[in-house]
Every structure is written in structure tokens, then in C-alpha cells.
Amino acid sequence: MFSTALVLLALLPSAIPDPRQGSSPWVVVDLAQDSQPGPAAGYLVVIPQQTDQGWLERLVSLAAGGVPVVALGFSEQPTVFQHFDGVVVGAPEQVEALRRCCPGVVPVGLASHPAQALALVSWGVESFLIPGEAPWSGYLAGLYPEAPAARWRGEALPTVGRQEDLALLVGLPPGFAGGQVLLPSTWVASTATLVAQASTTPLVVTVRGEEATVEVPSLPGGGVLVVPRPLPAGGMERVEVTERRALTVGEILARHHRQVALQQRVLANFQAWQRLLVRVRVGELDRSVELLLAGPVFYTPELGRDWELREAWVNGAAWPVGALPELPLLQPKAPPVPPLTLELSPTYRYQLLGRQPWGERWVFVLSFFSQGEAPRHWGRAFVDEQTFGLAGLEMFSEHPQGEVRRARSFTRNRLHWSDATPLWLPWQVEGDDLVAAFGGVVTVHRQLTLEQWQINGEAMAERRAQAWRGSNPMLRERRGEVVPLEPDGVGGRREVSAQGRRQSFLLAGGAWDPEVGFPVPLLGYQRLDFAWHGRSQLRLFLAGAVNDLAWSRPGPWEAQVRAFVRLAPSSTAPYLGNRRRDQEAVYLWRQRVRVGLARQWGAVRTAAEVGTDVLHFSRTPDTHPTFRLPRQTLEPVVGVNLTWQRGELLLEGRWEMGQRQRWQTWGFGEPARRRFSRGGLSMRYEHAPVSLVKVSLAADVAFSRNADRFSSYALGGWGGSFAGLPGGRVTTRDYASLRATLGLPWRRERRLELTGQWGWVRHPVTGQGALPLAGVAVGLTARGPWDTMLQASVGLPLVAPGPRQPLAQLLLLRPLGGKPRH
């Protein structure tokens, strides 16, 4: 594992034989040509005046081969040097510029003779490009500047020290006339070595008083004088004190790009078993729909990932994959350039946040921010410290123009090995989206898992071809986009446009609420349309007794219209203890229209709306003759709503104020409270700890001011805000509640949902506080007859005023339009 990291950090030799001036195992490469060079001990890459993206990609691919890559020339874009192991410099200023931008890149000096090489050590040069395989190349390792310098005829000669044994090395230029060389120190051995041309000659070192000299012959081609220093018996004890230098962001990214290029070179294909859970929660309706898909996925670099759907569950109930409805589930648009992509002109700004453990490994944590205009993307990348592979990526994005306003995804990769090459492949991806839909909020949670890996399998191509020839639906994911694959008629598949943006259902069923006193039939039509007349959204729910319409138009400012019409009345009668005051019972019809604007401000979605409620009352058979019926009235309302989502957690705050237009003393002398206000806070959390199991938690706190019986909160009823509680049984000015739901698979075709809810209310008549409430409900989801989705529920109050009477609901949904396109 550690050796692999060294491959990504290729080490430069102290002397590089220049293939332009003699024989050399190195090769000069011009990356302006698309052809890849042959094997070599290292590459000298010519820096062109203009570099482009293709040139940079070829450079990184070359550097990923595990041999050193050195730049010939100095670029106007110094960040390009992050992808080299060394750069040939021509001046001390270039060394300083290289140190500032890329401290891990080695400065390479161009030297034609030993004296020139030793003179470059003072610049900070650590490696040397020399003509061919020169005989003095072995003396250039581990050099450091030495002061004062040796002198000849009063002139300073290039002088350095050698780390290995502290020996002095003195450079003698070509045409050296010979004579006495004055050494800078008397701590020297009695014999020195002269290296010139292809021979070595021992020379005598003379020490007189405070001077040490060496008599050197003339050297037409120059040479190097090596003067050892006497060491104590047993040699020199070396104590090396080193401090690990922190890598810069550019160095981490450059090494990561090499790892990616190496992985692309090694990874030919893989096959795995993929499972995708999608949970869509409609905040306004306080309910969710789950879709679980599973099947083999096949990957090749040229096509991406082809996924065959073999198993499916809808709300925990097994479903034939060929009969799945084409649900209009929106997905966030992937950024045109993903984070950490190799780019000549970076799209993102990066910052190193530090290191942290990642399982049994350590990773670098990098933050990134997109530099362009909206949509914005930002997040964190987790890069493995040893292999520089991407261990994880957390990304946030904002899309002010689209339906998906805010998205978060967290990709976790797992390390595999192909011989000695590290491969970081996706293991788990979690995503959460905040969707502006039909004037409200829809949250989408996605959880994708890959297991049972087979890497570079010889039979993968045949298995994918077999899936192409089959009848199961297939999807393809590449470049961050998912598109369906349909049979092409000749045994293959072709890409088609993404799934539709609308779906219609027929619905039938009914509900029983003991407070209403008669069963309420539900029969009608539902439509979800995300492309109604272009970019508008339309939701229709026409069920006879209950009807709902919502329209919105996404944009920076989202216009929205909502209307609710209920043809079946709700019965309201106050309770005092367990006694229902039937003489005060009334039938209430409430119709509603709202118009508003919404906008996303960072993580918070705000919505403001105005509208009118129409209240109509009539007597029940039990209403007392002297009970004064309230007048039909209009109730203008203004309100605001704040929504915040993070992962599977949704928080919402709301407030509204209303005033009735015509109102007077009613009942048995109830005061005429025309103006009221109310608000509340709510929390919703859903999680799937294991496959087909769902846990839901909810908490609500609500309050009101100056509210009467018809502007207080009415809890319960089918589809209401309190499990098991009949509608109209409890009206309260203030309340708090906790709800927990556990969804469990029952056999393969069904799922049960067990719900318990507890609450505390303030009595609207007496004002007494903290009266307890409790209720339970059991729900069933299954595949019904005629390819329908069956949803049934039964609830029962446990602690509540009045008798313990159950309420029930049954609903069948059948998609229209036949089988979806594949």
C-alpha cells in the first residue's frame, strides 16, 4: 500500500541524463501529439507556449505511469507545474516562483559540467539535467550549500557539502589552468579525489596552520574535487530530525488526478448488485411514498453504468418491475464539471481543512466552492492520505430556476485492489432534495448501495448483452444523468428521453369517521404534472367529497395558487370531559383559496400567501333549537411559512392571521371574535435502518391567539393531524404532540405501518392546560386488484374525550397510460 503511494509520488534521481546530448534511458516528449510515448525511465516534457485541456489530460495520464515527469521550460501558468515531478529552471527567480506555487515539485538545474552543477545548489536546485551519462553524475546526490567557498587565485569556486559523509565538493570549470586550491576549512582528510573526464586521481591535502590546500593539475574539461572529512572510529552517528511537511491543496489535487488517471487505465469494467431507495414526502399532505429498486449494474468507461431492474417494492410491497408506474420523480441537475475534475482553468476554489480518520484510514479534507454564477455548488471532498483516491464526497447545490431548489449528496467510496493499483469505487450514495412542487414542499431522499463486486471480469460483456436482450427495464447513468434504455430491435438497447414529467391516476375508496356519522365515498382522478403548459406545475385531486388543486411556476420567485373544496361537511361539537354537547353540534363546510410567492434563501425556503376561506354552517339533527347558527362568512387570511431541510430531517415554522368579514354573537352567547392568529413549529424525520423497514418521527407545537371554536385547531379525522382521533372530536387553541411510526414488511407483498401518537392540549372552553391525548393506527400497503396500489388504515383513540370509536380509510390508485416506457 505504501509502495503504491510512492508510485504516485515519483522520485527524481539526482542526475538526469539528457537524451538531447547523449545516450539516456529518458525520453523527450511533445504532448502536442496525441500519440503516447513508449516505456522509459523518465520523460522530459516540452512546455508549449499555449496549453489546452487535452494537453493537460495527456500530461496527467503520462505522470500516472509511475515514472518521473520533468518539465522542459517555464510556463506562464505555474499551476501546471503541480502535475510534474520536476521543472527545469533557468534562474533563481524561477526557483522561488516554483517554491511558492508548488513546494513539492523538484527544481532541476541544467548543467553541462560539474562546476556549473555545484553552482546551482545555492539556488535550491535538487536535481540536475546533465549531458548523457557523465562520469561525475554519481557525485551529485545529497548536496547542500557550503560557506565559505574554496578559492583559486583569489576567485571563489563552487563549493558544496555532501550529506552522506559531510565531504566537501569543489567544482572546477572547463579550462581550469591548475594550481593550488585553498579549502575553506582545515577539518579535512589528508587525501582528496579528483574526478575528471572518465578517471579519478588521488591528491594530497596539505594542512599548514589555519590553511588547507590541494595542488590540482590543469583540467581542459573541468572536474570535481572531492575532499573527505575525518570521522570518528565507527563512522558518523547520524541523528535525522525531520518534520512532515503538510501538502498543499494543489499537491493533493495533482496526486489525486494521477490516481484517477491510473484507475481509468486499469479499470476495464465492473459488475455489482445495486439497490436504490427513493422516498418522496409531500409536506403539505404529511405522507410519503417509497420506491425500492434492485438489480445488477454493469460498468464500462465508454458507456457508463447500465442497470437492469429485477426487483421492485412500492411502499414496502413487492411489485412486478414491468408494471411500475412512470412516477415523475425529479432529480437535481448534475454540475457540468464535477468537483475535483482535472481542469486547466478550475471551476472550483479549494481549501485544505485538515486531516481526519476515515474508518481505519486517514483522509485529507478539502472544501470546494463553485466560482461561477447560479447554480451554486459547494461541499467537502475526502481524499485518502496514502493512495490519494477519493474516499468520499459531500456536495450541496442550489438551483434557483428549477424545481429542485436545494440538493445534498454524500458519496462514499470503498477501496479495492487490482494487483498493486488502488481502485476507489462507489459503495453508497445518499441524496436529499428540497423540491418546490405545487405551491408546497416535497422532499426526496435517495439511498443507493452497491455490493457483490466483480472487477475486470471476462464475462461482464456477455452478461450485459444478455440483460440488453431481456425484457426487464434498464437505466443508464453517465455524466451525472440517468436515462432509460429501450430495446433497439436487434438485441441491444438505445437511450431514450428521460422519464415523463406527468402522471395521472384513477382513485376509488372511502372513509369512515364516527363524528361525521356516515361513510364518505372517494371516487375520482388525480394528476401530477410538472410540465403543465411549459414550466408550470399542476396538481389535481378530484374525489367528489374532497377536491384539491395546486398550481405553481418555479423560478427565483415562485408564484403559487392553491384551492381546496370539500363537499362533505365536517361535524363539530364541543366535548366537556367524555360528554359530547350535541345541542351545540353544527355541520361546517370550509372552502379555501390561497395565492402566494415563495423564494429560497440559502437553506431556508420562505413562502408568503394571502387568501380567503369561505365558511358555511348548517344544523345537525341534534342541534338545539335555541342555538344561534353562525352566519356564512368570508375569512381573509395572510400567512408566512419557513422550511429548512437537512438530510432526512425537515423543520417547518408557520404563522397566519385571519379576520372574518361578517361575524356576530353565536351559539348560546359566544362572543364575536373576528380577528385571530395562529402559528406552529413541526419536525419530521424518516429513516430506513434496514431494507423495507421505515421509522418515522414527528413532533408538533401549535399555538393561537383570540381563536374561537372555528379558528382553533381541529385535530383528528382521516388524513388528519392526530392518529386514531375522529375528526372534530378535539378543538384546541394550543397543543403539542409526538408521533412515531414503524413500517415492517409482512410477507413479500405487504407492509404494515404501526403508529402511536401522544399529545397535550389546552381545552378551548375551560382553558385548562395539559390535557392528554393518545391514539394508535395500523396501516396496510399492498398491490391491489387491477394493477392498483391499495392503502388502508384503521385508527382508534386511546386517551381522548368521547367514546373509543374507530375510524378507517381505504384507497385504491391505478396509474393511467398503460405501462411506462423503457
Side-chain angles (χ1 to χ4, degrees), residues 368-404:
F368 58 87
F369 307 87
S370 60
Q371 301 188 97
E373 299 296 330
R376 295 196 308 123
H377 305 279
W378 71 97
R380 296 181 299 166
F382 304 87
V383 180
D384 183 65
E385 191 178 51
Q386 290 185 322
T387 65
F388 296 99
L390 184 61
L393 181 72
E394 181 183 32
M395 185 169 69
F396 297 84
S397 58
E398 288 183 350
H399 306 265
Q401 297 288 346
E403 294 94 346
V404 182

Side-chain angles (χ1 to χ4, degrees), residues 148-162:
R151 306 190 73 82
W152 172 73
R153 296 181 181 178
E155 296 181 3
L157 297 174
T159 306
V160 299
R162 188 165 62 185

